[in-house]
Amino acid sequence: MPRLQETQLHCLADRRYYEAPARLRDEATRYPLDRAEPPDGWVRAGAGLWTSLIPAGVVPPEQGWKIHVSTVPAGAGRTLEITARLCREHRVPFKFLRSEQALRLMSDKHMKRSGSGKFLTLYPPDEPSFLRLAEALAVALKGRPGPYILSDLRIGSAPVFVRYGAFRALWCRDEHGATVPALRHPDGRLVPDTRDVVFRLPAWVKVPAELRPHLAARAAARDDGFPYTVERALQFSNAGGIYLARHRETGRRVVLREARPHSGLDRAGDDAVTRLHREHRALTRLAGLDCVPAVHGVRRVWEHHFLVEEYIEGTTLLEELVTRYAMVHGDRSPAELAAYGAWVAGVTERLRRALDAIHARGLRFGDLHPSNVMVRPDGSLVLVDFEYATDLDDPATPLAGAPGMQAPAGTPGAAADRYALRALWLHLLIPLTEMAHHDRDKARTLERWARARFGLGPDAGPPRPALPGPGSTDEGGTGEATVARLFGGPVPDWAGLRRGLLAGIRAGATPERTDRLFPGDPAGFGSGGVCAAHGAAGVLHALRRTGAEVAPEWVEWLSGAALRRDPARPGGLYDGLPGAALVLDALGRRATARELLDRALAAPPAPSADLLTGRAGTALAALRLATSASSASTTSPSVSATAAAGGAAARPGATRPDPALLEYALRTARELDALVRGDRPAGLTAPASAGLLRGLSGVALLHLELLAHTGESWLLDAAGAALRRDAAHCAPGPGGTVQVRDGRRHLLYLDQGSGGFALVAREYLAHRPDAELAGLLPGVRRGCGLEFVREPGLVTGRAGLLAAAHALDAPDAGAPQAGAPRPDVLASARNLAWHLVADGDRLLVPGAGLLRFSADLATGAAGVLLSLHTLAAAPGAYGPGELLRLLTLG
């Protein structure tokens, strides 16, 4: 859920690319205080969607008691006026959401619950100032509406809330190695500043006596004899939770759907409580239908409303899809495909009958998607989540719906449900209907493939809705025709794909900005747009290694942005300065590269061992720079399309290995080997799973590269031990594949999965035979050729599996060179047509989640470009070793 919320936040400002929330086009709804000249003696600043006002010369402390004020959009202007006046009187710095549009968006049901309702944040300099201002606000704002802030303690009956937390941006690592906001412990250590949905205090902080009555009131309000005991939470959102509960007296199991007042706003401005009571009315009208849960009433507990519904035993249709989907399970024989197609037809028919029954009672459902359908053990279906169920002719209540399943605005109720039904049918056959959200013609492409693959006749599926929609015609638009041509021949048009991807990457470049150079995954904003995974370093690496032009201003941008990055948070190979250093070194910026790496080495070492963010990646960067043939020049030549693919511009003056960097890499390798063998070096943790970037396979790669440079035999033993630890995570999968088992998931990918593991294992086997490791490789190779892959990217998608499959097809050392890509690799490459969207001469690639396009290395166009480059290269050019170097910024 946190990842989904972060993604949604970065979808607010742009419909094409993931974008910084601060670039939201909200000028028309900015509050006057955001536009007016700041009061005398005050300074204004902006960050993201927030505007701050600070008394001149005042430096807030690192941490303390902070005050939050919540509001509803209709009363926000007046609440801001009152609060700002009191802050000026008390000379307390504060920040506020800058516009009504920003307030509505941050109150959306998909936003983080921990931040829900926060409209203003106040930073009193000490405890006495905090208590005085909190009391003044409680009096001045008494009775004004605002959502309850779950992480805080409420003061009186006003929308005023308090908690102890950080005032400044401090960071530390949590127990999982992730960088998180921090507080300073009295002993000087930085510890995580926990920001969840429960009011809690750091152990060393005492509650002021003035707050104790409010704590007592909170406790008393929560104990009102509610007759249900919650067994577990099923789902959380900004609107409230969904819980499995049991009646204390009867033992009856029920589902409790929680709604928090003024929270979880939708496009119409309705809050969760409004939608809950709409659902109650709909379920009451639909009582007696076996496709609808029985309703047992509405209860209010404290400030929250609960709809009590029948508990439906079974699984969601989404879970059924994941379990059954024929394209990733088994051998995909005609019998298996026919059986799956029959199951889809049966589900779709039962859903059609359910919708007809609802329509017969004068209602539409309004939000049909796989997570809103329950499948009972006997196969019967029940629709759940009737928040948008309203009269068939209701023109005011908006439609809901997942991306690609929502009918166009203005579609009448019954027709909107039929539109969603047809989209859901297609989604069960090929779960990529998000692509129709980008280009409606994609639905036609997907449908043609599904009909052919599952042997469906022209009349299969629910009737076409009487409006433009998925599969409404047999003709695609010009963009889809372009994509079809690129993949239409016996071999994909590699040159045409390259031109389109490069055009798309170049068109997205924004060197005038300081927060990013190329559009990518939302995580790229956290690195200042620098990192290899989601920032400029990865894109420039892909351009250089594919022989494309790297504009000098882009190199300058990366150099400047990397030097601006906080050296206390250097990150690792894929998310920080070490990776940027490797790319800049290859582009001729030797001095800058060394400075960046020195900054990374001076920071406290990462607790993780992996290649992605941890010590193995930093040590690999140190080794690469230690042995680099770069000159000391700090000027960067342009790398033109005439440069040899895979090489940088010629640079004279090769240097001898740097002994300090080489020793650092060796020392780290010894620590990592001790970890693999069961010791626990201080502050170092082993990865929980397996793979090239997130597992110990990356550690093994470090050992093998060090072996090549030093010849120290213990490194080969260490690589084998690391690989055997990763091999223990590998398990037989469907259809004879071998995949990494991670809980209920089975993974093939390069970052976490068997694909990346297999590449390193092949390199190890070139040095030493190992029957256990060798026995896993055929199953991994089989898995890399899967027909269906949900995302197109390099580290967790089709592009990476394509490159891995082709590299694993390379013969062993000493054998004749491999030929062109094998038929299953070419077939998989053609299925990139599902994802690529043509816009004029540009090809755009959807990133993680498929909600927006990305140009980055890990999830977007740069990674696809790099993968296709390996397929189009001369036979034998990219075996496992060459591909590993390509993937790790070599």
Side-chain angles (χ1 to χ4, degrees), residues 439-495:
D439 182 348
R440 198 173 298 277
D441 290 328
K442 276 293 176 193
R444 303 181 180 104
T445 297
L446 298 176
E447 183 177 336
R448 283 194 293 270
W449 177 88
R451 288 187 183 278
R453 194 67 180 91
F454 288 96
L456 304 178
D459 297 328
R464 287 184 171 88
L467 72 164
S472 59
T473 73
D474 292 328
E475 299 299 324
T478 57
E480 277 302 275
T482 297
V483 173
R485 282 196 300 273
L486 291 171
F487 291 102
V491 175
D493 181 356
W494 304 123

Side-chain angles (χ1 to χ4, degrees), residues 368-384:
L368 182 64
H369 59 79
S371 293
N372 281 350
V373 180
M374 295 295 299
V375 183
R376 290 190 175 107
D378 65 1
S380 61
L381 305 180
V382 180
L383 298 174
V384 296

Side-chain angles (χ1 to χ4, degrees), residues 209-558:
E210 292 85 347
L211 297 185
R212 289 174 187 159
H214 303 294
L215 273 174
R218 176 188 177 98
R222 290 178 177 271
D223 183 15
D224 72 341
F226 190 50
Y228 295 97
T229 300
V230 172
E231 294 184 346
R232 61 186 172 95
L234 303 176
Q235 180 181 315
F236 285 118
S237 76
N238 198 4
I242 302 176
Y243 309 93
L244 177 62
R246 191 180 296 274
H247 195 281
R248 290 174 180 161
E249 294 182 359
T250 67
R252 180 176 64 191
R253 299 181 88 185
V254 298
V255 168
L256 304 176
R257 302 180 73 89
E258 178 189 30
R260 300 175 51 232
H262 312 304
S263 298
L265 304 185
D266 62 17
R267 289 183 294 120
D270 291 336
D271 72 352
V273 172
T274 300
R275 294 194 302 275
L276 181 140
H277 287 278
R278 181 191 296 143
E279 179 167 9
H280 180 237
R281 290 191 298 271
L283 292 177
T284 301
R285 285 177 60 176
L286 297 171
L289 295 179
D290 61 4
C291 59
V292 173
V295 62
H296 302 309
V298 174
R299 295 290 298 261
R300 181 170 178 175
V301 181
W302 190 35
E303 298 184 2
H304 298 189
H305 297 238
F306 290 88
L307 178 63
V308 186
E309 293 182 1
E310 173 191 4
Y311 167 62
I312 306 297
E313 184 181 359
T315 58
T316 68
L317 185 56
L318 178 61
E319 292 169 319
E320 288 286 314
L321 169 62
V322 171
T323 301
R324 292 173 176 266
Y325 190 53
M327 290 297 106
V328 294
H329 296 292
D331 293 322
R332 303 185 297 281
S333 66
E336 187 179 29
L337 295 177
Y340 181 78
W343 176 78
V344 170
V347 166
T348 306
E349 175 58 22
R350 292 193 290 278
L351 282 174
R352 184 194 63 77
R353 291 198 299 264
L355 292 173
D356 285 349
I358 292 170
H359 297 163
R361 296 205 181 178
L363 295 179
R364 73 170 197 216
F365 181 53
D367 192 10
L368 182 64
H369 59 79
S371 293
N372 281 350
V373 180
M374 295 295 299
V375 183
R376 290 190 175 107
D378 65 1
S380 61
L381 305 180
V382 180
L383 298 174
V384 296
D385 194 352
F386 282 75
E387 287 187 338
Y388 290 92
T390 184
D391 291 339
L392 286 171
D393 59 354
D394 179 1
T397 305
L399 291 165
M405 294 189 185
Q406 188 181 65
T411 304
D417 281 347
R418 287 193 290 269
Y419 184 104
L421 177 62
R422 187 171 180 86
L424 190 148
W425 166 76
L426 181 57
H427 191 78
L428 294 177
L429 295 170
I430 177 167
L432 293 174
T433 47
E434 293 92 342
M435 294 309 304
H437 183 68
H438 299 296
D439 182 348
R440 198 173 298 277
D441 290 328
K442 276 293 176 193
R444 303 181 180 104
T445 297
L446 298 176
E447 183 177 336
R448 283 194 293 270
W449 177 88
R451 288 187 183 278
R453 194 67 180 91
F454 288 96
L456 304 178
D459 297 328
R464 287 184 171 88
L467 72 164
S472 59
T473 73
D474 292 328
E475 299 299 324
T478 57
E480 277 302 275
T482 297
V483 173
R485 282 196 300 273
L486 291 171
F487 291 102
V491 175
D493 181 356
W494 304 123
L497 288 165
R498 171 190 164 90
R499 285 193 300 271
L501 290 167
L502 287 173
I505 292 170
R506 291 168 182 146
T510 53
E512 70 279 4
R513 291 175 56 166
T514 59
D515 61 338
R516 74 120 190 259
L517 178 57
F518 298 100
D521 189 84
F525 290 104
S527 77
V530 168
C531 69
H534 307 301
V539 178
L540 298 193
H541 167 69
L543 296 177
R544 182 185 72 84
R545 288 302 310 265
T546 59
E549 181 180 3
V550 180
E553 61 266 31
W554 295 350
V555 181
E556 189 66 33
W557 190 99
L558 175 59

